């Protein structure tokens, strides 16, 4: 369990470095570091064998090849092309999770604080 918590932190840092790398005009060093942290954190969260089993399922091999190929292209200092490949691979790999995530976001507005914030935001945006 503590390893999974460390993995969440490392994955968060990876996402942060990827975002920072994109914001700084596709800085290849930040993107490469973010990719390595993201993959390491994911492995620590779900375990080495489950990570391997997730990425190398027969129906996910296309997405895996684009994602890991994009990571390799970023490491070879072609960040823009690598990030395009990674993005396509990411959406291909995780498309089954998106309905669950969007369903959660839809239910998140039932939480008292968030629903009040949402109502306030809706009220101000309609005036514009």
């Amino acid at each position: 369990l503590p390893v999974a918590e460390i993995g969440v932190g490392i994955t968060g840092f990876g996402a942060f470095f990827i975002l920072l790398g994109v914001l700084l005009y596709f800085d290849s060093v930040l993107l490469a570091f973010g990719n390595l942290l993201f993959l390491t954190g994911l492995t620590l969260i779900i375990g080495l064998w489950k990570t391997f089993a997730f990425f190398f399922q027969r129906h996910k091999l296309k997405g895996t090849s684009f994602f890991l190929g994009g990571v390799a292209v970023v490491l070879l200092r072609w960040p823009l092309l690598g990030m395009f490949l990674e993005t396509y691979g990411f959406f291909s790999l995780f498309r089954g999770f998106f309905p669950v995530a969007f369903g959660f976001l839809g239910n998140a507005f039932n939480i008292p604080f968030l629903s009040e914030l949402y109502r306030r935001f809706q009220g101000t945006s309609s005036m514009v």
Side-chain angles (χ1 to χ4, degrees):
L1 188 65
V3 173
E5 292 173 0
I6 293 169
V8 169
I10 290 174
T11 304
F13 277 120
F16 172 73
F17 278 109
I18 290 171
L19 178 67
L20 194 61
V22 169
L23 290 175
L24 293 174
Y25 301 111
F26 293 94
D27 182 64
S28 60
V29 174
L30 288 172
L31 291 173
F33 193 57
N35 284 328
L36 294 176
L37 285 174
F38 180 79
L39 290 173
T40 303
L42 187 66
T43 303
L44 289 175
I45 291 171
I46 63 176
L48 183 63
W49 296 116
K50 287 184 181 179
T51 303
F52 187 80
F54 173 78
F55 278 105
F56 294 101
Q57 294 175 18
R58 190 165 191 68
H59 64 282
K60 291 185 179 181
L61 284 177
K62 180 181 172 185
T64 299
S65 61
F66 272 96
F67 184 76
L68 296 179
V71 170
V73 170
V74 167
L75 290 173
L76 292 172
R77 298 211 173 220
W78 288 73
L80 191 60
L81 177 63
M83 288 307 293
F84 280 132
L85 294 173
E86 275 185 54
T87 303
Y88 177 75
F90 180 83
F91 283 118
S92 179
L93 281 171
F94 294 100
R95 69 175 158 224
F97 294 113
F98 291 129
V100 174
F102 290 139
F104 172 75
L105 289 175
N107 290 332
F109 295 116
N110 294 333
I111 298 171
F113 177 73
L114 286 179
S115 63
E116 180 62 32
L117 233 110
Y118 179 71
R119 272 187 249 128
R120 284 186 184 178
F121 180 73
Q122 286 299 94
T124 59
S125 65
S126 64
M127 299 171 126
V128 174

